[in-house]
Amino acid sequence: MDLAHRPTADPLLRLLAHGFATAYHHPPGAVWHAPYAFHLTASAVPPGPQLPGTTPRTDWVAAANWSVGVAVAARADGMLRCGSLNHPADGAELPLTGPAAPAPGWAARPYAALRALAAAGYGRGGADLHLNAALPAVVGLPVAESLECAVALAVAGVHAERGARPLPRARLAELLGAAVPGDDALRRAVLFARSGHLLAADGSTYRSLPAQDGGPDPCLLLLTARIAADGHEGAPTGAGDTALANGIALAVREALRAGARSAWWPGKRPGRSVLLLAPRDRRAAIRTAAADAFARRGLPVPRFLRIALAAAADRADRHPHPPTTGKE
């Protein structure tokens, strides 16, 4: 059954498949989903077994239970026709070989990734693509690496089904690392993550992240500061940004005081979002303490999302992908 009409599929992926068919007047050949990925702070990971004379690992990444989606169909003319549910009026038709064409901002990195694949002999025939990111950029989870891996897997996959050579994920990681600036550790999480597990940043080993309160799984909360009522949004250079940064710092202190075990940025640089490791029985108190900290600063109450450790990118139209229920 076409994913757009499969009642048990993720609603966003059904919408993506329907949007693809509406835009290109034929159904997609495949639909992929790829998880958002994030870094973990060393304080969030309990020490594990280690060999004598070695130091504990502190560089871990993981995949989140929120994903980007890609609907794709193969072409044979070397062109990439791409659109996005997040940017409905900003599609493009771009060559994968020869001189590059100007791409819309949202498509620049996926386009660079697909040109790198084409140069290596994968997906040179081109594709129709339709993308969707489940979370807005302001939430703060890194998304660029997820989109790059998703479009590369989708395009290479539909061409492999038509007889082209398949693209191993290890080879994809090498190609993207060499051709597209980005976070290689996050790409490894997108490509190789296991549900319920952390992955070493160099991809060498996995380990579980046990719940510290005896629950069935660890509880991660993503706290995201909202834009102020005046709509201010930008790099922390103005008074409004300073107030926001101070509000986040105060909220983190109060969350730790209320029982959060660790707090850290999900990416490599500070932003408007913070991940909290929250014991299950303290989750409500942590949310209340953080929200009160923002209110005392006269800032809008932050958003909270529950984050679970998910598996790597996969075909969504072959395997069930239940709707995400992580909103707090």
Side-chain angles (χ1 to χ4, degrees):
M1 180 187 294
D2 179 10
L3 187 67
H5 300 96
R6 186 184 301 170
T8 58
D10 184 318
L12 286 178
L13 293 176
R14 292 179 64 191
L15 178 63
L16 178 63
H18 177 74
F20 180 100
T22 301
Y24 303 131
H25 309 293
H26 60 85
V31 178
W32 282 74
H33 60 86
Y36 287 77
F38 57 93
H39 287 269
L40 286 97
T41 182
S43 61
V45 183
Q50 62 187 82
L51 297 173
T54 62
T55 57
R57 292 202 72 107
T58 59
D59 50 346
W60 297 96
V61 290
N65 59 318
W66 297 86
S67 62
V68 301
V70 178
V72 60
R75 296 172 65 104
D77 59 0
M79 297 299 293
L80 171 68
R81 188 165 52 163
C82 56
S84 170
L85 292 182
N86 309 106
H87 306 274
D90 204 11
E93 191 164 344
L94 309 163
L96 288 181
T97 58
W106 65 267
R109 288 184 60 159
Y111 179 42
L114 292 180
R115 283 182 62 86
L117 260 65
Y122 299 100
R124 291 174 62 91
D128 289 337
L129 278 181
H130 219 54
L131 314 180
N132 180 55
L135 299 176
V138 295
V139 166
L141 286 178
V143 68
E145 290 79 9
S146 299
L147 280 173
E148 293 159 11
C149 293
V151 299
L153 288 167
V155 171
V158 292
H159 281 281
E161 291 180 353
R162 295 159 64 105
R165 58 178 173 146
L167 174 60
R169 294 194 179 201
R171 176 62 174 149
L172 171 57
E174 293 175 358
L175 289 171
L176 291 179
V180 185
D183 189 322
D184 289 337
L186 292 183
R187 291 190 183 115
R188 293 187 189 100
V190 176
L191 294 172
F192 303 111
R194 295 177 183 171
S195 180
H197 287 74
L198 309 178
L199 176 65
D202 62 3
S204 61
T205 186
Y206 296 89
R207 64 162 299 182
S208 61
L209 179 62
Q212 298 181 356
D213 56 357
D217 52 61
C219 181
L220 301 178
L221 289 179
L222 181 72
L223 177 156
T224 301
R226 295 176 185 262
I227 301 172
D230 62 2
H232 184 83
E233 179 181 11
T237 56
D241 299 305
T242 300
L244 194 63
N246 290 338
I248 292 173
L250 177 60
V252 167
R253 287 197 297 271
E254 294 300 322
L256 293 171
R257 187 174 300 169
R261 301 291 175 82
S262 298
W264 68 96
W265 310 114
K268 286 189 172 179
R269 295 187 297 273
R272 296 218 321 254
S273 294
V274 176
L275 273 165
L276 302 167
L277 181 61
R280 193 166 301 275
D281 61 350
R282 300 301 302 164
R283 190 170 67 195
I286 291 167
R287 291 178 60 228
T288 299
D292 288 347
F294 273 76
R296 292 201 302 272
R297 292 275 181 172
L299 297 169
V301 173
R303 299 177 178 89
F304 294 90
L305 294 179
R306 289 200 305 273
I307 303 295
L309 305 187
D314 199 359
R315 278 278 299 264
D317 51 346
R318 284 185 178 171
H319 306 289
H321 186 58
T324 302
T325 56
K327 292 185 179 179
E328 281 286 294

